[in-house]
Amino acid sequence: MTTRPRRSLLYMPGSNPRALDKARSLLADGLILDMEDSVAPEAKSLAREQIAAALKTGGYGHRELIVRINALSTDWGAQDIKAICEFPTAPDAVLIPKIDSAKNVIDAIAAFESAGCPESVDMWIMAETPLCILNIAEIAAAHPRLRGMVLGTSDLSKDTRVRHTPDRLGFIAALNLCVYAARAHGLTVIDGVQLDLENDELLHASCEQGRDLGFDGKSLIHPNQIAAANTVFAPDEAEIVAAKGIIKAFEEALAQGKGVVVVNGRLVENLHVEEAKRQIALAATIAQLSG
């Protein structure tokens, strides 16, 4: 699995040039430059132009740049694909919404490839429809260019009538299924947004829940949410100390011909060592980027 930090992916409306400029100074790990939900119908063309200009100008540093297109069932979707493939500077990835099936993934990627999309551009999907959740195992395995998925819990709420409650109980099955499918096929998986912008405690709890469910990070709708996501989805000092202790103890056990060891009263096997090494590598990358 990659150790590239994706703790915080912030949606930025492509039709808002001030937002695209401000994003260069934000501490998000990644930016979702949006052509879809946050862009009014009359501003779709403007969003394409401004995102193309922003990518060409650059200045985003280490931030991963992902462009979300409109659904391929709309006229805008085909226009978005053509535009992205003609951008003077390609994004790191594209995010394809309204995916219901593995065929949707295959058809969307085929459309990008037919339009000349560079191989360096990764493909991501929104997991935001009931059919997508029901078909998520097949969707996650649909194409080798697929690299990640982002939960669209707002659309899921609209389509399923599941309410946004503090414990997100109605979404748990969908969240679990997406994490399992992503892990089974080596994909990055990003949690859905927290809509309440005035409840810091709820935001922090939502980030902690997402982390505990296995997500790599959280999608965000406001810069004020970045700090919480970056903190919660990064290993803290105590976790790093514990990880180093696990690795050291296990190496000592192997030297003595043992395959397991007890550390602080807990059984440690090779699988725990692999996770400890992942945490250390992730923390090192975060420290390097922050420096």
Side-chain angles (χ1 to χ4, degrees):
M1 295 297 293
T2 178
T3 56
R4 179 169 191 167
R6 293 188 173 105
R7 301 165 295 171
S8 51
L9 293 187
L10 177 65
Y11 286 104
M12 303 300 289
S15 56
N16 186 335
R18 291 181 61 187
L20 295 176
D21 182 57
K22 181 180 180 181
R24 294 181 171 91
S25 64
L26 298 177
L27 298 179
D29 288 334
L31 304 168
I32 300 175
L33 310 180
D34 194 23
M35 296 179 174
E36 195 208 14
D37 284 347
S38 66
V39 178
E42 64 272 15
K44 298 293 187 183
S45 179
L46 177 64
R48 293 186 203 106
E49 294 172 5
Q50 293 185 160
I51 290 174
L55 290 171
K56 182 179 180 180
T57 301
Y60 291 98
H62 69 273
R63 297 164 190 83
E64 190 167 18
L65 302 178
I66 303 170
V67 176
R68 181 167 70 168
I69 67 170
N70 288 277
L72 295 190
S73 59
T74 69
D75 291 337
W76 300 315
Q79 294 168 19
D80 292 343
I81 291 176
K82 182 177 184 296
I84 289 172
C85 294
E86 294 176 352
F87 280 179
T89 303
D92 295 306
V94 294
L95 179 57
I96 307 164
K98 306 300 184 288
I99 292 295
D100 286 335
S101 67
K103 184 179 185 300
N104 288 163
V105 177
I106 294 168
D107 290 347
I109 295 176
F112 270 102
E113 292 181 339
S114 295
C117 183
E119 293 184 4
S120 63
V121 178
D122 290 336
M123 302 290 163
W124 289 45
I125 59 126
M126 294 292 302
E128 58 183 348
T129 72
L131 275 175
C132 183
I133 301 304
L134 293 175
N135 295 325
I136 196 62
E138 293 82 7
I139 288 171
H143 200 285
R145 284 190 71 168
L146 186 62
R147 291 289 182 267
M149 65 176 75
V150 180
L151 269 289
T153 44
S154 293
D155 279 88
L156 276 176
S157 176
K158 175 181 68 69
D159 289 347
T160 62
R161 302 175 196 160
V162 170
R163 296 188 178 187
H164 293 281
T165 58
D167 60 7
R168 298 200 295 175
L169 181 62
F171 295 107
I172 293 298
L175 300 177
N176 283 154
L177 285 170
C178 286
V179 169
Y180 296 159
R183 295 292 170 250
H185 299 286
L187 308 183
T188 295
V189 59
I190 304 297
D191 198 2
V193 301
Q194 172 55 245
L195 298 172
D196 192 334
L197 297 178
E198 298 183 354
N199 192 329
D200 293 340
E201 184 177 345
L202 183 60
L203 170 64
H204 199 85
S206 179
C207 289
E208 289 183 332
Q209 183 192 49
R211 176 201 63 197
D212 294 347
L213 288 173
F215 286 93
D216 295 296
K218 193 163 186 67
S219 52
L220 311 171
I221 56 174
H222 195 280
N224 289 345
Q225 298 178 320
I226 294 172
N230 282 352
T231 297
V232 172
F233 283 96
D236 61 27
E237 185 176 347
E239 289 172 318
I240 295 304
V241 169
K244 290 179 178 178
I246 286 172
I247 294 170
K248 182 174 183 293
F250 191 76
E251 288 176 348
E252 292 174 350
L254 287 180
Q256 299 172 17
K258 302 175 182 178
V260 296
V261 65
V262 175
V263 179
N264 296 325
R266 302 186 66 175
L267 185 68
V268 170
E269 301 175 275
N270 187 58
L271 61 94
H272 302 106
V273 176
E274 290 180 4
E275 173 59 16
K277 289 180 178 179
R278 187 195 68 83
Q279 286 188 319
I280 290 173
L282 178 60
T285 303
I286 291 171
Q288 181 181 19
L289 294 176
S290 301

